[in-house]
Amino acid sequence: MGESQEKELIKRLQKQIMEDLDFGEELNDEQLKDLIGKYLLEKEENAHISLLQRKQLGKEIFDSLRKLDVLQDLIEDDEITEIMVNGPEAIFVEKKGALYKVNLKFESGEKLLQVIHQIVSGCNRTVNESSPIVDARLKNGARVNVVLYPIALNGPILTIRRFPDVPITMEKLKEVGAVSEEAVEFLKKAVRAKYNIIISGGTGSGKTTFLNALSQYIPKDERIITIEDSAELQILGIDNLIRMETRNINLEGGKGITIRDLIKSSLRMRPDRIIVGEVRGEEAFDMVGSAMNCGHDGSMSSAHANSAADMLSRLENMILMGAPLPISVIRRQIASGVDIIVHLGRLRDKSRKVLEISEIRGIENEEILLNALFRFQETSENKSKNIEGKLKKVGELIHKYKMETAGIITPY
């Protein structure tokens, strides 16, 4: 069967099945699969279809009706970490750190829009021309970003960031060389001693993955609140866990709920720690000024930055968005609220590594000072172009008060 014949058959069967669904009671997934199989098996014009073709066609029809159409196989591929849809005819994936264009496309822009609305409605969000940008998530926790016309000029843009079904642990990160044993031991103690930690890095550097892994060291008897735009964190082993997610303004007049709203609310919920998946704007004022500086030690968050030093500038700018305070006041808030910055990056061989761990020493001449504790040092590049090196200890921890208060003996 040629590709055009296959597409025509799929369209025809979809139409027939949808007509049945319109006039009958709604089917569950298994009933729908049975109905698709019946059409493929009983119609005389389909008699020439082989068993293998019938199975593949059945899956394609089911995916188009109940799943994510041509994207479903990509979503189910564990090696794919990112799916980028640039309009109905251009689909790219990231696999093992490299980008590829795949030989798949939606039958029309309308079909792509249908899939997008299916995704966003699944987490009670809406997207349309008057509100053309939205963040959402799939049932498996994958992060979704949508941009529609008139913002996106070359068709609906859909970006899906997949996360492993089983969260990556710090042990796994050590195995792949993303972080050293010595650095992990230090971070484990820092988390238990309730140091406030910011994870910084560029897009795709692994901030969410590292934040997840770091959370495994939180004592299991604490009350933790996580706050995110789209719920992605997979914190395990904490019984007293509250997960909160922002909400956009909806067509029914529902009020939008921001990260700032959720941080303010969380302060009245008696948390031991507050974890904000990512700060991008004015909510940094509440995270640093309220959560980290008001008795919720051990709080964590992540943010985009090019280095640990750049993270300080980014925090200053984001806090300014939320409160027009003098820069000297903002810097004192950062210096008293944030203890440790862990900076991640992607090297030229596409590997993700911890590049630097620094503590904030304090303020001198109105400038925030950093004390580098660990720094990645490249040693060589092998024949396969893979970078070799190690995250090495380069400095001593100055502020040991929290370690000592927690009864942790440390050489740092």
Side-chain angles (χ1 to χ4, degrees), residues 15 49 52 62 127 151 201 210 232 267 271 305 333 356 358 373 391 399:
K15 183 179 178 181
I49 302 175
L52 185 61
F62 179 79
V127 63
I151 305 300
F210 198 85
E232 300 167 3
L267 296 174
Q333 278 199 341
E356 183 181 343
S358 292
L373 303 175
L391 185 66
H399 298 294

Side-chain angles (χ1 to χ4, degrees), residues 123 125 133-137 143-146 229-230 248 280:
C123 47
R125 305 206 171 189
I133 301 175
V134 71
D135 289 316
R137 57 183 163 80
R143 176 197 304 169
V144 178
N145 176 262
V146 175
D229 273 329
S230 314
N248 293 345
R280 299 189 185 96

Side-chain angles (χ1 to χ4, degrees), residues 70-90:
V70 297
L71 300 183
Q72 190 60 36
D73 284 341
L74 304 180
I75 289 290
E76 293 171 0
D77 187 337
D78 291 338
E79 293 187 334
I80 291 176
T81 52
E82 195 118 19
I83 300 168
M84 293 149 276
V85 182
N86 303 343
E89 297 187 354

Side-chain angles (χ1 to χ4, degrees), residues 194-198 225 227 259-260 262-268 270-276 279 282-301 319 333-334 336-339 402:
K194 289 197 164 185
Y195 282 73
N196 292 321
I197 300 173
I198 299 285
I225 297 178
I227 297 170
I259 283 183
R260 293 197 75 177
L262 296 178
I263 293 175
K264 290 173 184 176
S265 180
S266 71
L267 296 174
R268 297 187 286 270
R270 198 231 166 263
D272 287 305
R273 303 176 196 239
I274 298 170
I275 301 177
V276 178
V279 289
E282 58 188 20
E283 65 271 9
F285 171 72
D286 303 281
M287 183 65 193
V288 174
S290 298
M292 290 182 168
N293 267 307
C294 294
H296 300 97
D297 283 343
S299 293
M300 295 186 277
S301 186
I319 291 172
Q333 278 199 341
I334 294 172
S336 63
V338 180
D339 297 309
K402 289 185 178 180

Side-chain angles (χ1 to χ4, degrees), residues 83-92 106 112 154-159:
I83 300 168
M84 293 149 276
V85 182
N86 303 343
E89 297 187 354
I91 301 175
F92 296 80
F106 288 89
L112 172 53
N154 57 329
I157 307 301
L158 173 65
T159 309

